[in-house]
Amino acid sequence: MNKNQLFRKIPKMDVLLVQDAVQKMIDVYGYDSVLEILRREQERVRLEIARCTTEEQAEECTEKLIQNAEKELHKLHRPHLKKVLNGTGTILHTNLGRAPIAQMLMKDAICEVGGYSNVEYDLEQGMRGNRGVAIEKLLCEITGAEAAVIVNNNAAAVLLVLNTLAKGGEVVVSRGELVEIGGHFRIPDVMELSGARLKEVGTTNKTFLSDYELAITEETKVLLKVHTSNYRIIGFTEMVKLEELCSLYEKYRLPVVEDLGSGALIDLNQYGLPGEPVVQESLKRGADVVCFSGDKLLGGPQAGIVVGKKCYIERMCSNPFYRAMRIDKLTAAVLERTLLEYRSESRAIKNIPVLRMMTRKPMDVEQDAKRLKRMLKRAGFAAEFELRSCESQIGGGSLPLTTIPSTAIAIVPEEIRVEELEQRLRSLPLPVIGRIEKGKLLLDIRTFEMEYASDFVKSLKEAHVFSRSPMKEADKK
């Protein structure tokens, strides 16, 4: 086999560029991208020929140069972010985007802000308006607060609050509430960045009102209470209640700030879930400022929401930090539509996916699981399917000890390992994320969007997911 002769068969760039298939690629992807990928493919073919043991293998590499270049271009221009089906049973799955947004709500929002919109324009007055003013009024209506302000996440909300109210001074907080809020970001770190000084009181498991009062000096600017939404301390404990802390206001005139983290707007006790602090109740109990997340129990997009007394919120709106942290028009559109559902609790429970998943009756989840199992069995896949009782969890740093009875479909493939099945499901056009337990792949139906069930079964067929042979490259796209 004369490899030098095979190397000479690799098409030169000027020959490749005039090919009809390459011209079509240039129309779609642009000249520069196509040129770069063709160069890479030429080099790859050279390396393949150098490794080949037969002339047939070498010629096949050369013949597929353009075809492989097109595949690479498709991968290069394909967005990384895509929709997935969540079969993990974790409702607020941080790695999967936390709160899912209702499809119709999202479509409406994109339609409104896809072009020009009145994001900072007052249509009635015909002049410049304030960004987010409508949402802030809506938040005040729902929570009973005097004023509100919105930034891009709750860490930013805490930073804005402390920088505005306590920069250069001290913030008193219980040692048992110095939480890590995810991604290795901790309350002390945020506080340091804000320019405020942390003053810890009490111990990890016990803090009393007297601890706070003894720590107050002329340097004290804020009394901070942080709800431990992502963990619980159980046993020999004592924590100061919010209303107790607020009783110090009359004596010292220090604002009490509560970071609720998860931020529920509906009392979940009535749906059989443990009580998570409700924003409205925190304000009624005397908190001057309350901040919370938009993409957790509220069920909206990522945002940090601050509500409370007007005198404090107005100062935050004048802080240069606010300009750097404010939300964009798409977030504003989605958040407003989510909050509008809260004007009726029944509508919110029905239309906000997070609330719907959390409050669904176990028997309804089981019926969906039975329906999907029948669809899978009718398809004749080389696998066993059975229903299994399981427990879903809230996730996302919310209600850490709470689980909800649910039903999963347990899948045991006959021709491939369960680990291979898990990987193949992740490689589908609409990826499916499950969990492996005791040699079976489980899809928890509480978090599985059943409107995509038919598409799911169809993609399993087209990609030959349960077959011993590997999935075709084309099927993975």
Side-chain angles (χ1 to χ4, degrees):
M1 181 172 60
N2 187 338
K3 289 201 172 184
N4 286 330
Q5 190 174 20
L6 291 170
F7 284 132
R8 285 193 290 271
K9 288 186 176 182
I10 300 174
K12 290 184 169 46
M13 188 59 70
D14 57 347
V15 174
L16 287 169
L17 290 173
V18 297
Q19 299 292 317
D20 289 342
V22 174
Q23 286 295 311
K24 289 179 182 178
M25 286 190 280
I26 291 173
D27 290 340
V28 175
Y29 301 110
Y31 178 83
D32 292 337
S33 290
V34 173
L35 185 65
E36 176 61 25
I37 293 299
L38 287 174
R39 283 174 178 161
R40 290 187 202 172
E41 284 302 309
Q42 284 178 325
E43 183 59 29
R44 190 187 64 80
V45 171
R46 288 189 189 96
L47 294 173
E48 288 292 329
I49 290 174
R51 288 195 292 261
C52 283
T53 56
T54 67
E55 192 169 325
E56 289 76 14
Q57 288 176 327
E59 288 180 348
E60 184 179 1
C61 291
T62 303
E63 291 169 359
K64 290 187 175 181
L65 190 153
I66 293 178
Q67 181 181 345
N68 289 333
E70 187 172 12
K71 288 180 180 179
E72 288 302 310
L73 282 162
H74 180 77
K75 288 181 183 177
L76 185 65
H77 289 81
R78 183 172 55 194
H80 168 75
L81 196 62
K82 59 168 63 177
K83 180 178 177 58
V84 303
L85 293 181
N86 178 10
T88 68
T90 300
I91 295 172
L92 292 171
H93 200 304
T94 300
N95 304 129
L96 302 183
R98 288 188 180 159
I101 308 296
Q103 291 295 314
M104 186 56 67
L105 186 154
M106 181 62 77
K107 287 178 182 177
D108 288 347
I110 292 173
C111 180
E112 295 296 337
V113 301
Y116 296 109
S117 62
N118 62 325
V119 63
E120 286 189 12
Y121 187 81
D122 189 323
L123 291 172
E124 291 185 5
Q125 300 295 324
M127 58 190 296
R128 179 171 181 167
N130 293 322
R131 178 179 299 213
V133 64
I135 310 175
E136 289 156 11
K137 287 180 179 178
L138 191 54
L139 280 165
C140 292
E141 174 192 325
I142 294 168
T143 66
E146 293 179 7
V149 65
I150 309 155
V151 290
N152 51 29
N153 61 29
N154 195 45
V158 175
L159 179 59
L160 178 64
V161 170
L162 296 181
N163 180 262
T164 302
L165 303 183
K167 183 179 180 181
E170 292 179 344
V171 176
V172 182
V173 62
S174 168
R175 284 188 175 89
E177 297 175 1
L178 294 176
V179 303
E180 181 174 300
I181 55 179
H184 305 295
F185 292 101
R186 297 171 175 175
I187 286 293
D189 299 332
V190 175
M191 196 173 295
E192 181 181 359
L193 186 61
S194 74
R197 297 189 302 276
L198 170 67
K199 193 163 189 178
E200 302 174 34
V201 297
T203 62
T204 302
N205 63 318
K206 283 207 169 193
T207 302
F208 298 92
L209 184 63
S210 58
D211 294 321
Y212 283 93
E213 191 161 14
L214 289 171
I216 295 174
T217 68
E218 292 182 356
E219 297 296 311
T220 306
K221 301 294 184 183
V222 164
L223 302 178
L224 176 64
K225 185 163 184 61
V226 182
H227 173 57
T228 55
S229 60
N230 58 359
Y231 74 95
R232 293 288 185 269
I233 299 175
I234 301 173
F236 191 56
T237 64
E238 185 76 36
M239 302 302 288
V240 177
K241 294 179 180 178
L242 176 63
E243 48 266 44
E244 292 179 294
L245 194 58
C246 292
S247 68
L248 298 178
Y249 179 82
E250 291 300 323
K251 189 173 182 181
Y252 298 99
R253 293 294 169 178
L254 292 171
V256 175
V257 174
E258 183 168 35
D259 173 15
L260 284 183
S262 299
L265 294 180
I266 288 177
D267 183 2
L268 298 173
N269 273 306
Q270 59 188 309
Y271 299 99
L273 297 168
E276 186 77 355
V278 180
V279 176
Q280 296 91 313
E281 289 302 314
S282 290
L283 293 168
K284 287 179 182 177
R285 287 173 184 152
D288 298 293
V289 174
V290 177
C291 57
F292 54 98
S293 296
D295 60 347
K296 293 185 178 180
L297 294 180
L298 189 149
Q302 178 181 297
I305 300 169
V306 186
V307 295
K309 291 182 178 176
K310 189 175 182 179
C311 60
Y312 299 124
I313 299 296
E314 285 181 340
R315 288 169 59 186
M316 295 174 207
C317 292
S318 300
N319 190 325
F321 261 142
Y322 171 56
R323 172 77 180 187
M325 298 170 175
R326 68 180 185 175
I327 57 175
D328 67 295
K329 61 181 181 180
L330 181 56
T331 302
V334 177
L335 180 59
E336 181 179 17
R337 282 159 177 75
T338 302
L339 290 170
L340 283 170
E341 300 298 330
Y342 279 94
R343 280 182 160 159
S344 164
E345 184 172 313
S346 60
R347 276 177 58 91
I349 293 295
K350 177 183 177 182
N351 297 332
I352 296 176
V354 165
L355 299 179
R356 186 170 64 244
M357 289 180 196
M358 288 185 351
T359 59
R360 282 197 76 196
K361 295 178 180 178
M363 66 180 68
D364 293 335
V365 177
E366 183 181 7
Q367 289 303 313
D368 280 346
K370 288 179 178 178
R371 180 158 64 92
L372 182 55
K373 178 188 173 184
R374 287 194 297 269
M375 294 169 68
L376 291 166
K377 289 183 74 70
R378 280 199 300 265
F381 296 125
E384 294 181 5
F385 304 95
E386 63 180 49
L387 300 184
R388 173 179 291 187
S389 297
C390 65
E391 297 288 327
S392 302
Q393 61 181 3
I394 307 300
S398 305
L399 298 168
L401 301 181
T402 302
T403 59
I404 310 173
S406 186
T407 303
I409 296 179
I411 307 173
V412 181
E414 296 173 357
E415 298 182 4
I416 59 175
R417 295 183 304 115
V418 69
E419 292 78 10
E420 175 68 13
L421 172 61
E422 190 268 343
Q423 187 275 327
R424 290 185 180 190
L425 291 182
R426 286 188 281 110
S427 301
L428 290 171
L430 177 55
V432 179
I433 315 297
R435 66 178 190 266
I436 296 175
E437 285 186 9
K438 299 179 181 179
K440 299 180 180 182
L441 189 135
L442 268 58
L443 297 179
D444 188 326
I445 303 305
R446 182 173 290 278
T447 55
F448 190 91
E449 297 171 78
M450 283 298 292
E451 58 263 43
Y452 294 96
S454 296
D455 293 334
F456 170 52
V457 176
K458 181 181 178 182
S459 66
L460 293 176
K461 289 181 181 179
E462 293 176 345
H464 309 289
V465 166
F466 293 97
S467 173
R468 186 175 287 108
S469 59
M471 294 170 67
K472 298 177 183 177
E473 187 67 28
D475 290 328
K476 295 182 181 182
K477 293 181 180 179

